[in-house]
Amino acid sequence: MLLLRCFVSPLFLKAEEGRKLLAIVLGVSEGLAREGLELIRAQVGMPGVKRAALVAYGEVVFRAWKDGGWVRGEVGEAFLQGMLEGAVFARSKELAKAARKLLCVFVEQRTVAGVEKLIFRLAEPVLFRSLQVANSNVRHNGLHLLLDLFPLEDPEVTKDVNDPLLEKQYFLLDKLLMDDCPEIRTVAIEGLCRILNQFWEVIPSLTISKFLSKIVDDMSKDSWTEVRLSTINGLIYLLDNPQSHEILKVLLPRLSDMVSDPALSVRSAAVDLLLAIRDLRSFQFNKVVGLGTLLSSLSNDHPRVAQKITKLLIPSYFPTKLPLKEACARCIALIKRSPTAGARFCEFALSEGSSPRSLVELIKVSITLALSPTGMTSEQTDGLVTASANLIKSLSDEHSSLASLREFFANTKLKLLFKTVVSEEARSALLSMGPVVSPDDLSALHNQCMNIVMNAAGISEQEGCQKAVQAAHKLVFSSGWSDEMFEALTNILQSKASCFAEIYGIEPPMCPVASSKRKKGKLLKKTSAKPSHDVGKGSSSSPALDNEDFDIVAGTSWQIDDMLKDEEKRAAFLQSSYSDVALSSLKVISQVYIEQCLQFDSLDVVPLLAYLNLAAQSALQDVNQTDISMSESATISHSLNHLLDCFGKFLNESFAGSTNSSKLKHNKKSAQQKDHHREAPKGNAVKGTVNLCMLGTSILKFIVDTTTMNLINDNKVGCLNFALSFTKYASSTVKLHQEQSLSFKGNDLKDIFMLTRSSFTYAAKLLHLVLSNSTETPPEEAFFLANNLLDLVPSVESASGSKYALSLISIVKQWLPVLILGLGCRWLIGPQAEANNMHALVESDLPLWVAALAKNELLVAEAPREDGQSEQGSEDSKSSRKLAEMTVILLKKGNPKILDSVVGVVLSNLKLALQRAEYGFVLGLTRFVCVRLLGSDSSASEKLQLTHDSLRENFFQIDKHVRDDLVDSEESKQQLESAKALIRSILSDV
């Protein structure tokens, strides 16, 4: 026993003498050999066994086999056969890998007499059969073993006998390259490249060409990222064999598209392949991938890829072996050829080995050229400036270099550069450069910063302009000019809001607060609170607005919103005297955006987002400063109530059938000026609907976020009412556009669908928050909101088809338990609430989801028709059927009380359908309850009191319609008789 315990001791496995002793023990007797090998087998099968231990066990077994004795006989061969079969048929990949690792010791010693014959005799019967089985896991393990054992040959026969065996292995490898399992294809590619690297001389040239052509032409275009990645990694490994270079010169240019592959890992590996090629004298990387393609990737790709391309190009465009003047000239030539790529090249030049001294010289040359841009385009000039900024940023920790740069940039060079550059990217680069090269004289950049801040119209859709504004903000805050910037932005908003208020007859915003640090000057005169009379086509007595005004408002609002995202800037703005003015101005602007949203083909919702964000941050600051309850925040309550009121009035006008949704309830002043004001143009109906949905979705998101933070606990009913009205509008609008042949198409369809998905998610989350936090009975609005959300599925399906509706179903599935609870709460809170809700239902149409449910049940019940209309109808309502199936599954699994309450909802709709003489719906709903939910089980209804009572009541109502001849057709009478029969199958007392 003591000897056997040595087999599990790490000390014996680590020491050379210990492994020799264990090998000797295995040869002492047959019993010790069997028990020792069994212990080794158990250790190999343990999860998490270390690689070093597996190699050590393999060495022990090999020594014992080599020394003869019991291991070389039947006992040892049975053990090895078991290891080999485990390497192929093991259920887990880890166990198969462990078995292969032990066997690899024998494979590495195949030159020892008898080892290769042993491997062949054990592997040949198992290996080839395993590579052709249906189980992909077995094929995967078998492939790994084949790659370890290749070439599998019988050492005791001639070459003529072994050649067919090798051909069989080539055939199987070729077949596995096209295997259905992507993991197998991945292993096959890399393994085959390893085989070609090691055995190039003995593999026929035609076979090599066939393999490599398939890898390059087919595997590089595989749909799986891992397969494409293994293609490149395998070829990089193959390049280590010089004999492969001639054929790869021909094949590799076919891989040029992989530099633009959708997967980042593949693009990165493709540049690694070019780096491997660059170091080979017989190759030229630019013949594999063109320089234009590389520069495009350098300009636009991920930093990881861009840095590798810089490493690839730096010996050509900024070489260290050439004189510095010539190296700078080459880099300047690159920047002139592709300014964006050149600037990106400079971003990584230091990290790829360029010396700080040479980069300082390159900056000086670039700036000098930019200041005298004779013969250069504006793009080239801006590229030189941006490249210099990137170099300066990389040298910011090199103190000796910074001293030289600060001396060079003296004498207002930065100010001169601002007059030279054109693009926003270059202006942003100059602003980021200022604090580094001219930290003691930032005042020269003051006017430039303020000009960028004040002239950022349309910024929300321009990434380059956003970067310039953010750089300006950063410099403004670091230089202590923040109050001046706050004043400028606030005055712009207040000025435009005052214009809006005068034109549309609403209450004007707060007056701006004069700066405590300086008097009103040139800046304030530009942004006076007095309404502008020089925009649009209105007269001096009738100010008008044009798109430029809305772009200015959007740009200023974006800046406010962006500052609120940064903790330091947010604190400074909220503590200033300008935040209240900005909030008041954004309130007016948001109201106008809501009331006029149908009049615009394109509307930027940034002002509304900035208003909501500012209100939330102001509320949070009030809470932090006063330690009051979050639910008591007056700021958030006032802002939200104002928006909900505006939106509610607008939606009410829409539901009332107003032909001109832009009409406002003007006060007396606006009524007097009505004839003088310019009439708003009628906008595109589809675009206007998209605008309204964007605004509504933004407000819904705000409601959910603030409810989650417990900021609006006191107004849950108002929030539910808003969600209720908005989802009702979304559903009815989709239906209206379909009826008027104004259906959404192209990008509008995608936009409205994405907004529908988002608004559904936010509304469902709001419903969940209300239901989960209700300490008393949930409000009845929760029931109606659940109905509206379910109505969205058939609405989208009828307007846009099953494709979009099925995509919506994936969102509905996540929230379906909440919707079911919302439906059930109507019955769970008591009879009085049920009566009130029933009154609301009687005055409305049957909910769309209920109607769709009834129609689906009728389609299922119908016999297949010869004209195929039944199948077509079923196909058109695929998403509604899916919704019904998910609902049935959840109700059957859930609490019986919930099932009882939801059945009550369905049966109340059945009663409504009966009153409206919609007898087909009566049969469909009866079938859904009796067949799908209760399963024709009479005992099921006895446990569900509400279901039993409702079914009984509906039965007598149906029977009355039949007996009193209230049915006008034989088909309708038959439908009601069928419904009665279904109810009888459930109830035994009717």
Side-chain angles (χ1 to χ4, degrees):
M1 288 298 295
L2 288 175
L3 288 175
L4 292 176
R5 289 175 62 182
C6 296
F7 283 90
V8 296
S9 172
L11 295 176
F12 281 84
L13 293 175
K14 290 179 181 179
E16 176 74 16
E17 296 301 322
R19 294 193 293 273
K20 288 181 180 179
L21 175 61
L22 294 178
I24 294 172
V25 171
L26 289 177
V28 170
S29 68
E30 181 179 359
L32 277 175
R34 288 184 185 277
E35 293 186 31
L37 292 174
E38 192 60 35
L39 279 172
I40 293 175
R41 189 198 310 274
Q43 291 297 308
V44 171
M46 290 182 63
V49 60
K50 294 183 178 179
R51 178 183 179 277
L54 295 171
V55 174
Y57 281 128
E59 184 180 338
V60 168
V61 176
F62 177 74
R63 284 179 183 272
W65 180 88
K66 184 179 178 182
D67 293 341
W70 299 104
V71 176
R72 190 143 189 165
E74 181 180 345
V75 175
E77 287 202 8
F79 169 80
L80 293 173
Q81 186 72 54
M83 284 291 105
L84 192 140
E85 291 177 355
V88 174
F89 300 110
R91 291 184 178 180
S92 70
K93 294 178 181 179
E94 291 75 16
L95 181 57
K97 185 177 180 180
R100 288 198 309 272
K101 186 58 64 178
L102 187 144
L103 291 172
C104 276
V105 177
F106 280 80
V107 176
E108 292 169 357
Q109 300 291 337
R110 65 198 309 169
T111 56
V112 175
V115 174
E116 190 164 10
K117 179 64 178 179
L118 172 68
I119 294 173
F120 177 79
R121 186 172 68 252
L122 297 177
E124 195 272 339
V126 177
L127 183 60
F128 295 127
R129 185 173 71 252
S130 69
L131 294 172
Q132 303 179 74
V133 299
N135 190 317
S136 61
N137 190 46
V138 174
R139 296 200 308 277
H140 185 267
N141 293 337
L143 173 59
H144 273 293
L145 189 61
L146 173 61
L147 296 174
D148 289 341
L149 300 181
F150 187 90
L152 185 63
E153 297 177 303
D154 187 349
E156 297 179 355
V157 300
T158 63
K159 180 178 180 295
D160 293 338
V161 177
N162 274 324
D163 281 348
L165 189 63
L166 286 173
E167 288 297 329
K168 186 175 183 180
Q169 294 172 59
Y170 297 146
F171 168 78
L172 290 171
L173 287 170
D174 182 69
K175 183 179 179 181
L176 291 168
L177 279 176
M178 307 301 293
D179 195 275
D180 293 337
C181 177
E183 291 184 355
I184 293 177
R185 298 199 299 273
T186 300
V187 175
I189 293 169
E190 295 191 7
L192 189 54
C193 289
R194 188 181 75 191
I195 288 173
L196 293 176
N197 183 24
Q198 295 176 351
F199 303 101
W200 186 278
E201 297 87 347
V202 299
I203 300 176
S205 58
L206 289 177
T207 303
I208 293 174
S209 299
K210 180 181 177 182
F211 281 146
L212 289 179
S213 296
K214 181 169 287 189
I215 289 174
V216 171
D217 295 334
D218 298 332
M219 299 295 98
S220 64
K221 298 176 177 61
D222 195 277
S223 59
W224 282 77
T225 300
E226 292 78 7
V227 176
R228 300 196 303 276
L229 181 60
S230 67
T231 299
I232 298 177
N233 290 335
L235 292 173
I236 293 174
Y237 185 81
L238 184 57
L239 282 170
D240 289 341
N241 189 328
Q243 293 175 304
S244 67
H245 293 178
E246 286 302 317
I247 188 172
L248 289 179
K249 280 183 183 178
V250 178
L251 295 176
L252 288 183
R254 302 178 191 175
L255 300 177
S256 59
D257 291 342
M258 299 195 80
V259 176
S260 305
D261 191 272
L264 172 61
S265 57
V266 176
R267 299 197 302 273
S268 180
V271 183
D272 287 334
L273 176 63
L274 296 178
L275 287 168
I277 291 172
R278 186 195 67 178
D279 297 332
L280 301 174
R281 290 186 176 181
S282 57
F283 275 93
Q284 291 182 341
F285 68 84
N286 60 328
K287 290 186 177 181
V288 176
V289 178
L291 184 59
T293 303
L294 286 173
L295 293 181
S296 177
S297 296
L298 178 58
S299 300
N300 306 310
D301 214 330
H302 191 275
R304 192 168 87 191
V305 177
Q307 183 168 358
K308 290 183 178 182
I309 295 177
T310 301
K311 182 178 181 179
L312 178 70
L313 297 179
I314 208 162
S316 302
Y317 287 100
F318 202 61
T320 57
K321 296 181 181 179
L322 293 179
L324 185 55
K325 184 177 180 180
E326 185 175 346
C328 290
R330 288 195 181 191
C331 190
I332 296 297
L334 173 63
I335 297 172
K336 287 182 177 180
R337 173 170 179 165
S338 177
T340 309
R344 204 84 187 281
F345 176 88
C346 292
E347 182 179 346
F348 302 106
L350 180 65
S351 60
E352 292 304 326
S354 297
S355 67
R357 186 183 68 84
S358 63
L359 294 180
V360 169
E361 185 62 29
L362 177 59
I363 293 170
K364 293 179 179 179
V365 172
S366 300
I367 296 299
T368 302
L369 280 175
L371 289 172
S372 55
T374 306
M376 291 194 301
T377 65
S378 59
E379 289 81 6
Q380 291 173 334
T381 303
D382 290 350
L384 289 171
V385 172
T386 307
S388 300
N390 289 340
L391 291 170
I392 290 171
K393 183 179 179 180
S394 65
L395 292 170
S396 57
D397 294 330
E398 301 287 338
H399 299 292
S400 59
S401 302
L402 289 180
S404 175
L405 287 173
R406 286 169 182 171
E407 182 180 352
F408 174 75
F409 275 95
N411 302 322
T412 66
K413 274 192 173 64
L414 283 179
K415 198 170 183 179
L416 292 174
L417 285 171
F418 258 104
K419 298 179 180 179
T420 305
V421 299
V422 175
S423 69
E424 298 295 342
E425 289 81 358
R427 296 166 76 191
S428 174
L430 283 174
L431 290 176
S432 65
M433 192 190 304
V436 179
V437 299
S438 185
D440 300 326
D441 189 25
L442 293 177
S443 58
L445 300 179
H446 172 270
N447 289 339
Q448 283 75 16
C449 284
M450 298 309 298
N451 283 334
I452 290 175
V453 168
M454 294 182 62
N455 295 283
I459 184 176
S460 59
E461 298 177 357
Q462 301 176 31
E463 185 178 352
C465 188
Q466 290 176 10
K467 291 181 179 178
V469 169
Q470 287 171 337
H473 286 184
K474 184 176 180 180
L475 188 56
V476 164
F477 273 88
S478 63
S479 304
W481 309 327
S482 57
D483 277 352
E484 184 180 350
M485 182 178 70
F486 295 158
E487 183 180 4
L489 294 174
T490 303
N491 274 279
I492 292 174
L493 286 178
Q494 200 276 342
S495 172
K496 297 304 177 185
S498 296
C499 263
F500 287 8
E502 182 176 348
I503 290 175
Y504 297 108
I506 54 183
E507 184 180 351
M510 292 174 58
C511 293
V513 180
S515 172
S516 59
K517 292 190 175 182
R518 64 183 184 86
K519 297 180 180 179
K520 290 185 179 180
K522 185 177 180 181
L523 184 61
L524 281 179
K525 291 179 181 178
K526 284 186 178 181
T527 59
S528 171
K530 184 179 179 180
S532 173
H533 298 277
D534 57 353
V535 292
K537 298 181 180 179
S539 66
S540 60
S541 62
S542 57
L545 297 173
D546 58 15
N547 289 334
E548 183 181 355
D549 292 285
F550 290 96
D551 287 342
I552 293 172
V553 167
T556 308
S557 302
W558 185 93
Q559 295 185 65
I560 298 289
D561 192 56
D562 187 67
M563 286 192 295
L564 293 173
K565 295 174 183 177
D566 182 88
E567 184 176 356
E568 181 182 352
K569 297 173 185 175
R570 178 175 65 245
F573 183 68
L574 293 177
Q575 291 170 7
S576 72
S577 58
Y578 303 101
S579 59
D580 291 338
V581 180
L583 185 65
S584 176
S585 302
L586 287 170
K587 172 186 173 181
V588 173
I589 293 167
S590 298
Q591 180 176 344
V592 172
Y593 269 49
I594 291 172
E595 294 173 344
Q596 301 298 316
C597 64
L598 296 183
Q599 308 308 318
F600 298 94
D601 287 345
S602 177
L603 187 67
D604 197 333
V605 298
V606 168
L608 177 67
L609 297 177
Y611 177 49
L612 296 173
N613 195 5
L614 182 56
Q617 297 299 337
S618 299
L620 288 173
Q621 185 190 45
D622 293 341
V623 171
N624 293 334
Q625 290 179 350
T626 60
D627 293 327
I628 62 172
S629 170
M630 282 192 174
S631 62
E632 298 175 358
S633 172
T635 303
I636 206 78
S637 178
H638 176 75
S639 301
L640 184 59
N641 288 339
H642 171 255
L643 287 178
L644 297 187
D645 183 56
C646 294
F647 218 103
K649 290 179 180 178
F650 182 82
L651 292 180
N652 288 336
E653 289 181 2
S654 299
F655 292 141
S658 174
T659 57
N660 185 3
S661 60
S662 66
K663 290 183 179 179
L664 301 173
K665 295 181 179 179
H666 297 309
N667 56 23
K668 292 182 179 180
K669 177 181 178 181
S670 64
Q672 294 172 355
Q673 295 178 346
K674 183 176 180 180
D675 295 335
H676 301 286
H677 290 164
R678 184 185 64 177
E679 184 178 350
K682 185 175 181 180
N684 183 306
V686 171
K687 297 287 188 181
T689 303
V690 173
N691 294 337
L692 182 61
C693 289
M694 284 195 298
L695 293 169
T697 303
S698 300
I699 295 174
L700 262 181
K701 181 181 183 299
F702 173 75
I703 289 173
V704 170
D705 291 342
T706 49
T707 303
T708 304
M709 293 186 290
N710 294 323
L711 287 172
I712 54 172
N713 285 341
D714 296 339
N715 195 21
K716 288 182 178 178
V717 173
C719 294
L720 282 175
N721 275 322
F722 168 76
L724 186 62
S725 300
F726 179 61
T727 52
K728 181 180 178 182
Y729 173 84
S731 180
S732 62
T733 301
V734 170
K735 182 179 179 181
L736 179 64
H737 280 280
Q738 182 194 23
E739 293 172 351
Q740 297 180 353
S741 300
L742 295 172
S743 57
F744 300 98
K745 298 177 182 178
N747 291 333
D748 293 328
L749 178 60
K750 293 180 181 178
D751 290 342
I752 200 69
F753 179 68
M754 293 304 297
L755 290 168
T756 301
R757 284 168 56 104
S758 298
S759 59
F760 180 95
T761 301
Y762 294 134
K765 189 170 183 180
L766 175 63
L767 180 61
H768 167 70
L769 290 171
V770 171
L771 293 176
S772 60
N773 294 328
S774 295
T775 56
E776 300 177 354
T777 55
E780 63 178 14
E781 287 80 5
F783 164 74
F784 293 112
L785 179 57
N787 268 285
N788 282 5
L789 291 175
L790 290 171
D791 280 350
L792 282 174
V793 174
S795 293
V796 171
E797 188 170 46
S798 62
S800 307
S802 294
K803 175 185 175 183
Y804 287 98
L806 286 173
S807 181
L808 180 61
I809 283 288
S810 64
I811 304 296
V812 175
K813 183 178 181 180
Q814 303 173 30
W815 296 101
L816 190 55
V818 176
L819 301 185
I820 289 175
L821 188 59
L823 290 176
C825 74
R826 167 177 180 253
W827 295 88
L828 292 172
I829 60 180
Q832 182 60 41
E834 182 274 330
N836 294 336
N837 288 329
M838 187 63 199
H839 176 72
L841 277 176
V842 169
E843 296 180 350
S844 64
D845 293 330
L846 206 65
L848 295 178
W849 70 273
V850 175
L853 186 151
K855 289 177 182 177
N856 288 331
E857 289 300 319
L858 291 175
L859 286 172
V860 172
E862 283 183 0
R865 294 172 52 176
E866 294 181 1
D867 58 6
Q869 290 185 11
S870 178
E871 290 81 355
Q872 180 63 38
S874 178
E875 184 67 24
D876 291 342
S877 59
K878 188 183 295 184
S879 61
S880 296
R881 286 191 292 108
K882 183 70 173 176
L883 176 61
E885 291 169 2
M886 295 189 302
T887 303
V888 169
I889 291 172
L890 282 175
L891 288 174
K892 287 186 174 182
K893 287 182 178 179
N895 191 313
K897 291 184 178 180
I898 300 296
L899 173 61
D900 196 22
S901 62
V902 173
V903 171
V905 173
V906 176
L907 292 179
S908 68
N909 282 286
L910 187 154
K911 184 185 300 184
L912 177 61
L914 188 62
Q915 293 173 3
R916 294 176 175 273
E918 296 173 338
Y919 302 122
F921 288 168
V922 171
L923 175 58
L925 295 177
T926 305
R927 176 182 169 81
F928 178 75
V929 171
C930 297
V931 177
R932 300 288 293 277
L933 291 179
L934 303 180
S936 299
D937 183 4
S938 59
S939 62
S941 65
E942 296 175 0
K943 303 174 184 177
L944 308 173
Q945 187 61 44
L946 178 60
T947 299
H948 181 277
D949 295 343
S950 298
L951 278 175
R952 182 181 175 84
E953 180 184 354
N954 279 301
F955 177 85
F956 290 119
Q957 289 289 335
I958 294 170
D959 185 60
K960 182 179 179 182
H961 272 67
V962 175
R963 284 188 293 102
D964 295 348
D965 292 329
L966 301 177
V967 184
D968 56 2
S969 69
E970 188 62 31
E971 181 184 2
S972 299
K973 185 175 181 179
Q974 185 60 42
Q975 288 174 335
L976 293 182
E977 290 291 352
S978 299
K980 286 171 61 180
L982 287 170
I983 296 176
R984 282 197 190 98
S985 68
I986 298 296
L987 301 182
S988 58
D989 55 348
V990 296

